């Protein structure tokens, strides 16, 4: 699934906060490595001035832990509904299937809710950077790093 939603009564969480929805989108709804990906988490905070943040963990289809990215902006929030968005840059993930675990964290780093592998996507590629190479390109991540060539003699 690329999106899950709950009504507030059935939403995962506790008396402090609940997750209302998780959604993964890309620029044009195709999940190509050349597009950035947005992981959107909607939650409701029930406690005034509570510090709440979200964390995203990504796993591949071999259950390898690819990355974890917490929202480090841990500031007190008012009561109400919020959306937290994690942006995975283009040309970062490789081709393949990825699963996303979402964690809602409260005061004192209390885990309010952990949704293991709740959404997933299949990444493909347009092939824009391959040039004349058509073979397998290994690795869990696939950034295009900067290279410099200089003649030294």
């Amino acid at each position: 699934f690329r999106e899950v939603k709950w009504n507030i009564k059935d939403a995962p969480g506790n008396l402090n906060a609940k997750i209302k929805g998780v959604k993964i989108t890309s620029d044009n709804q195709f999940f190509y490595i050349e597009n950035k990906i947005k992981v959107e988490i909607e939650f409701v905070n029930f406690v005034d001035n509570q510090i709440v943040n979200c964390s995203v963990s990504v796993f591949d289809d071999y259950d390898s832990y690819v990355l974890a990215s917490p929202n480090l902006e841990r500031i007190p929030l008012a009561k109400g509904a919020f959306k937290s968005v994690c942006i995975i840059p283009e040309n970062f993930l490789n081709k393949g299937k990825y699963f996303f675990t979402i964690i809602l964290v409260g005061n004192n780093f209390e885990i309010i809710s952990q949704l293991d592998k709740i959404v997933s996507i299949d990444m493909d590629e347009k092939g824009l950077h391959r040039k004349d190479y058509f073979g397998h390109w290994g690795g869990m991540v696939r950034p295009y790093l900067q290279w410099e060539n200089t003649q030294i003699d």
Side-chain angles (χ1 to χ4, degrees):
F1 297 110
R2 293 182 186 162
E3 180 176 13
V4 289
K5 289 183 177 183
W6 296 272
N7 63 48
I8 197 66
K9 185 181 128 210
D10 299 325
N14 60 26
L15 295 174
N16 295 328
K18 289 189 173 189
I19 297 175
K20 292 254 321 191
V22 178
K23 179 167 73 170
I24 302 182
T25 63
S26 73
D27 294 336
N28 57 14
Q29 295 307 310
F30 293 102
F31 291 93
Y32 292 120
I33 64 172
E34 294 90 351
N35 296 346
K36 67 182 160 191
I37 299 163
K38 291 183 182 177
V39 182
E40 301 177 8
I41 302 132
E42 292 185 14
F43 64 94
V44 178
N45 177 35
F46 299 124
V47 180
D48 201 30
N49 289 319
Q50 177 177 215
I51 295 174
V52 178
N53 72 301
C54 298
S55 180
V56 173
S57 295
V58 181
F59 299 84
D60 70 9
D61 55 351
Y62 298 103
D63 207 30
S64 298
Y65 201 163
V66 177
L67 66 91
S69 181
N71 181 346
L72 298 175
E73 186 176 321
R74 289 186 47 82
I75 59 171
L77 300 178
K79 288 182 184 178
F82 294 87
K83 178 162 62 171
S84 189
V85 180
C86 174
I87 299 173
I88 299 172
E90 62 272 355
N91 301 313
F92 185 78
L93 294 175
N94 203 348
K95 284 177 61 171
K97 189 167 188 82
Y98 294 91
F99 300 89
F100 294 77
T101 291
I102 306 300
I103 303 172
L104 187 64
V105 181
N107 285 331
N108 301 313
F109 299 96
E110 165 208 12
I111 294 180
I112 294 171
S113 182
Q114 180 169 329
L115 305 173
D116 290 325
K117 299 177 184 168
I118 192 71
V119 288
S120 65
I121 55 173
D122 288 297
M123 296 294 294
D124 205 349
E125 70 175 304
K126 297 176 191 173
L128 300 176
H129 300 285
R130 283 187 163 269
K131 307 289 187 220
D132 57 354
Y133 178 71
F134 297 102
H136 173 71
W137 202 317
M140 286 187 234
V141 294
R142 191 165 141 184
Y144 295 106
L145 304 176
Q146 182 177 340
W147 283 76
E148 296 177 359
N149 294 316
T150 44
Q151 186 172 358
I152 57 173
D153 64 354

